[in-house]
Amino acid sequence: MQNILTDGLMQKISDVSGLRVSQSDHPELLSYLEGRIKELSLSSISAYLSFLSVGKDLSEERERLSELLTTGETYFMRDPGQMTLIGSVILPRLIEKNRLKKQLRLWAPACATGEEVYSLVILLDHLIPDSENWVIDIIGSDINSEFIEKARVASYRDWSFRGCDSEFKRRYFHQGNNCWVLNETLRIKARFLVLDLIGEQLPNISKNLFEVDFILCRNIFIYMNISAINSITEKLSACLTNGGILMTAHGELHAYRQSGLQVKVYPESLVYEKVEKPELSYRTQRVAEPRAFELKPPKTAFVQSSYTLKLDTPEPSSEDLMLAAWEFADQAKFSEAIALYDKLLSRDPMQAELHYLHAFISLEMGHLEEAKADLRKTLYLDPDFVPAYLEMITIHMQEGKNQIAFSECDRAIKALEKFNPNDLIPILKNSTVFDIKQYLTYVQNSLTSSSD
């Protein structure tokens, strides 16, 4: 039955599930398909392809494929740096923002067996001592129904506490039968849903998945194909309230389009903030908050409040064309952006930023190999072009090439050593050399710990 694993079948499975399907997945898929075809009483692989046709409810199939091709691996207080950032910066900021209305909604999609959700419960329990006066909604969801049932029970073995000390267990749990059970006062503060992020219409009012203040969505995008990444990100962005925050695992989302989200980089992690009017992800201004830098565009003569562009001068300068091309790219007007890119390329093909722009467009259009080639050209023309390093690091992490990502971090740090710590980096205009070096060092530490 080996010959049934055609490129067309693999692509169809990837399209339906939203998952990347690699050569290493073939043995598991082959075994799965042999059993699944019998279970569905189908006569052939062609019949299975028909079963996967568009328009059917395929949530169960996505659940099965997700269980086959992903790992539901999580634990309490996972990634201490990110958890410190959440507890000391993100949540306090959101609490202060919502102090008058006393409402807060947190959501962990792809929560597996619930450890991350209850970690948020515990953090909030410390931060809001008068929580009985608030309306707090903490939600965990996953496509895997067995995981959700385990999350609702909130009973865990020692492996789930490998990121915590013994005091953590004693303080928030009590011993059960060969397990640790979360204290009931904390368990009841979270709710759990079986949810298919690919098939679900979001926002969803009936499930209270709207106006979310904080979404913690880690270690899902590493498994997804580009189309699914873009689709899920758009859905999560639509569920966030203005000023709401999305956090992913390191490197999961930086190289992809974040609809309506503004990238902010703390030493501990990237986060994405919902803004009322999406602006360019790669053009920046200074911001008041000192601990992070935002990626956003400069104001230009060509950008009006409606985001229309005027290029009516007889011969716009290359700088103006570049700014207009970025604006078109951010609005997903790729043909217009590429037209300006071609015009700029004919003027001067040796501009590093021009190839970086094309890499951004290529990523948004799903042309990953072309994007990587553009980023290599960028770094060939300007070995100190730090934003290109950040993109390459993200892509390598997405591909599971952690050693290469680690080496790219080294190269980026060496490039940064040519500057003074307080220097601002071009394109990342409100980020200092010190900020970025801190972030890259943290990424390297996370890559080292994940390979242990």
Side-chain angles (χ1 to χ4, degrees):
M1 203 175 179
Q2 181 68 41
N3 60 351
I4 71 168
L5 298 179
T6 63
D7 290 343
L9 175 60
M10 295 300 96
Q11 185 61 53
K12 186 67 173 178
I13 290 173
S14 180
D15 291 343
V16 167
S17 66
L19 300 169
R20 300 173 188 263
V21 181
S22 66
Q23 190 76 25
S24 62
D25 296 320
H26 283 199
E28 289 83 1
L29 271 173
L30 181 61
S31 176
Y32 171 78
L33 290 173
E34 288 175 341
R36 188 64 171 145
I37 287 171
K38 292 178 182 177
E39 183 181 354
L40 293 169
S41 300
L42 299 174
S43 59
S44 65
I45 193 62
S46 296
Y48 181 73
L49 281 170
S50 297
F51 168 75
L52 295 180
S53 61
V54 176
K56 293 183 177 179
D57 181 6
L58 295 171
S59 57
E60 181 185 354
E61 199 66 17
R62 276 191 286 270
E63 179 179 355
R64 287 170 177 253
L65 289 167
S66 175
E67 184 177 352
L68 179 72
L69 299 175
T70 67
T71 302
E73 178 67 20
T74 186
Y75 49 93
F76 285 98
M77 298 300 173
R78 184 175 189 172
D79 193 322
Q82 283 194 334
M83 295 310 295
T84 297
L85 178 64
I86 293 169
S88 64
V89 178
I90 303 298
L91 290 182
R93 173 184 158 192
L94 293 173
I95 290 167
E96 187 59 34
K97 174 175 175 279
N98 294 331
R99 190 168 295 283
L100 288 178
K101 63 179 182 179
K102 292 189 179 297
Q103 294 179 358
L104 200 63
R105 179 170 290 143
L106 281 57
W107 179 26
C111 72
T113 48
E115 288 92 331
E116 290 184 330
V117 178
Y118 290 125
S119 294
L120 294 176
V121 169
I122 289 168
L123 286 176
L124 271 184
D125 193 57
H126 283 280
L127 292 169
I128 307 181
D130 61 336
S131 59
E132 67 276 4
N133 298 321
W134 286 62
V135 178
I136 300 175
D137 190 14
I138 304 176
I139 312 149
S141 69
D142 201 280
I143 193 172
N144 190 313
S145 55
E146 291 186 7
F147 284 169
I148 291 300
E149 286 307 310
K150 290 179 180 178
R152 287 171 176 154
V153 173
S155 173
Y156 299 97
R157 298 191 181 276
D158 284 338
W159 188 240
S160 292
F161 300 94
R162 58 191 182 276
C164 312
D165 56 25
S166 57
E167 174 60 25
F168 179 87
K169 284 193 291 187
R170 287 194 297 269
R171 186 169 186 178
Y172 303 111
F173 297 79
H174 58 273
Q175 283 193 302
N177 186 18
N178 296 319
C179 65
W180 290 85
V181 181
L182 184 66
N183 293 338
E184 185 67 6
T185 55
L186 296 172
R187 189 191 69 81
I188 61 174
K189 292 184 177 183
R191 63 184 177 95
F192 293 90
L193 306 169
V194 177
L195 191 81
D196 173 9
L197 285 171
I198 297 293
E200 187 77 27
Q201 293 290 324
L202 292 169
N204 188 312
I205 304 299
S206 65
K207 296 177 180 177
N208 283 329
L209 292 175
F210 69 100
E211 294 293 301
V212 181
D213 295 288
F214 179 59
I215 297 177
L216 180 61
C217 187
R218 297 195 286 196
N219 301 295
I220 177 176
F221 295 112
I222 56 172
Y223 297 109
M224 311 307 290
N225 59 45
I226 291 174
S227 176
I229 290 171
N230 290 334
S231 173
I232 292 172
T233 305
E234 294 237 355
K235 291 180 180 183
L236 297 182
S237 174
C239 290
L240 283 170
T241 187
N242 288 331
I245 299 292
L246 166 66
M247 177 182 283
T248 70
H250 300 292
E252 278 197 293
L253 201 55
H254 182 51
Y256 298 92
R257 183 175 181 83
Q258 303 98 29
S259 177
L261 301 176
Q262 205 75 276
V263 183
K264 300 182 74 174
V265 182
Y266 294 86
E268 299 89 349
S269 182
L270 293 174
V271 299
Y272 306 90
E273 181 174 350
K274 177 75 171 284
V275 292
E276 292 189 45
K277 292 183 178 180
E279 299 185 76
L280 289 179
S281 300
Y282 298 92
R283 298 281 181 167
T284 69
Q285 298 176 4
R286 292 197 63 80
V287 293
E289 187 172 357
R291 287 206 64 214
F293 57 88
E294 287 187 10
L295 307 177
K296 55 163 63 169
K299 302 296 181 185
T300 78
F302 297 118
V303 183
Q304 299 178 333
S305 60
S306 62
Y307 285 88
T308 57
L309 299 170
K310 295 192 298 183
L311 296 173
D312 52 4
T313 57
E315 189 61 30
S317 69
S318 293
E319 181 181 0
D320 289 339
L321 286 175
M322 183 75 80
L323 290 169
W326 274 113
E327 185 70 13
F328 278 131
D330 189 60
Q331 296 179 53
K333 296 179 179 178
F334 300 130
S335 58
E336 292 92 334
I338 289 173
L340 295 181
Y341 161 81
D342 288 336
K343 190 175 183 68
L344 285 163
L345 194 67
S346 67
R347 291 186 181 183
D348 182 6
M350 304 300 284
Q351 292 185 73
E353 185 182 353
L354 183 59
H355 296 284
Y356 180 70
L357 165 67
H358 198 263
F360 170 73
I361 295 170
S362 297
L363 282 170
E364 295 211 10
M365 297 179 70
H367 303 155
L368 186 60
E369 293 304 317
E370 190 172 349
K372 289 194 285 188
D374 286 322
L375 291 170
R376 285 192 287 268
K377 290 176 186 176
T378 303
L379 291 170
Y380 172 78
L381 293 170
D382 184 358
D384 299 332
F385 202 101
V386 175
Y389 283 115
L390 294 177
E391 302 297 354
M392 289 297 288
I393 290 163
T394 298
I395 291 170
H396 290 315
M397 291 172 69
Q398 286 277 357
E399 295 177 331
K401 299 175 180 176
N402 287 358
Q403 287 187 335
I404 298 175
F406 190 95
S407 298
E408 291 284 1
C409 287
D410 268 342
R411 283 189 276 274
I413 290 170
K414 287 178 182 177
L416 290 168
E417 286 173 352
K418 300 176 183 178
F419 305 96
N420 293 321
N422 293 324
D423 285 349
L424 300 177
I425 302 299
I427 292 188
L428 306 178
K429 289 182 180 177
N430 65 324
S431 59
T432 67
V433 169
F434 179 78
D435 291 332
I436 302 173
K437 284 179 74 174
Q438 268 196 310
Y439 173 69
L440 290 169
T441 300
Y442 191 84
V443 170
Q444 283 191 312
N445 290 338
S446 71
L447 289 170
T448 302
S449 62
S450 66
S451 63
D452 291 342

